[in-house]
Amino acid sequence: EIGSGTGEHAVAVCQARPDIRWQPSDPDPVSRASQAGWARESGAAISAPLALDLLTGEAVSDLAPFDVLVCMNVIHIAPWAVAENLARLAAERLQPGGRVVLYGPYKEGDATAPSNLDFDASLKSRNPAWGVRDLDSVITLVAEAGFALAERVDMPANNLLLVLSSPETR
């Protein structure tokens, strides 16, 4: 998971799916400390967190291959370079047939929810490099890295869950 924050997503997922192993990451040391606490309580389900910063893209090539890349509520609270490096990470490290799972708000032209437009303005007032991303731009970016939109799920609070799949073989 990219940008795992407190690490509570990992706990929820591992409780629902005890057959998987979750790798949290975050550039923030306070967030990693919280993730480490959850990891200690989880046994082997949650790995020790990684200090992964997709703003710089450092350490991306050092990661072992994995099956799924999850990123929730990150790309709108980060410069576009984070989304670009996320797509690069997925292309370089996901196993054939892997998935990219993105969750958060998106802009969809005239169909954009007013709350997402307000959120976009609020984000940009805090940092001009941030903002609710255009859905087509995100899908195009990840498609250029070799992934196709497999599923779109409308979620509460005008968020979307996007599942993008890679080819079975590369």
Side-chain angles (χ1 to χ4, degrees):
E1 180 184 15
I2 300 300
S4 303
T6 62
E8 292 180 61
H9 290 133
V11 175
V13 170
C14 290
Q15 286 175 344
R17 292 284 310 269
D19 59 315
I20 66 171
R21 184 171 168 200
W22 197 267
Q23 175 63 72
S25 74
D26 207 286
D28 176 55
V30 173
S31 295
R32 288 194 310 276
S34 177
Q35 296 162 23
W38 289 113
R40 283 189 297 275
E41 291 183 25
S42 76
I46 302 173
S47 299
L50 299 175
L52 188 61
D53 185 351
L54 287 187
L55 185 56
T56 64
E58 291 177 18
V60 168
S61 61
D62 295 339
L63 296 176
F66 45 86
D67 299 316
V68 178
L69 178 68
V70 177
C71 185
M72 295 181 269
N73 288 320
V74 170
I75 64 173
H76 57 280
I77 308 176
W80 183 245
V82 168
E84 292 171 330
N85 286 328
L86 182 138
R88 184 172 64 94
L89 171 63
E92 290 177 5
R93 306 294 0 157
L94 266 174
Q95 300 278 15
R99 302 272 192 263
V100 176
V101 178
L102 302 175
Y103 174 86
Y106 294 92
K107 289 193 274 185
E108 299 184 85
D110 293 339
T112 302
S115 62
N116 284 354
L117 293 174
D118 292 344
F119 187 38
D120 181 56
S122 172
L123 290 169
K124 287 179 177 172
S125 74
R126 289 184 260 167
N127 185 328
W130 295 359
V132 175
R133 303 303 178 192
D134 179 73
L135 179 62
D136 289 338
S137 296
V138 172
I139 291 172
T140 297
L141 175 69
V142 182
E144 289 171 352
F147 297 85
L149 183 62
E151 188 174 2
R152 170 200 162 129
V153 180
D154 291 332
M155 301 296 286
N158 299 309
N159 287 303
L160 296 176
L161 177 75
L162 305 174
V163 179
L164 301 109
S165 61
S166 70
E168 291 302 313
T169 58
R170 293 198 187 202

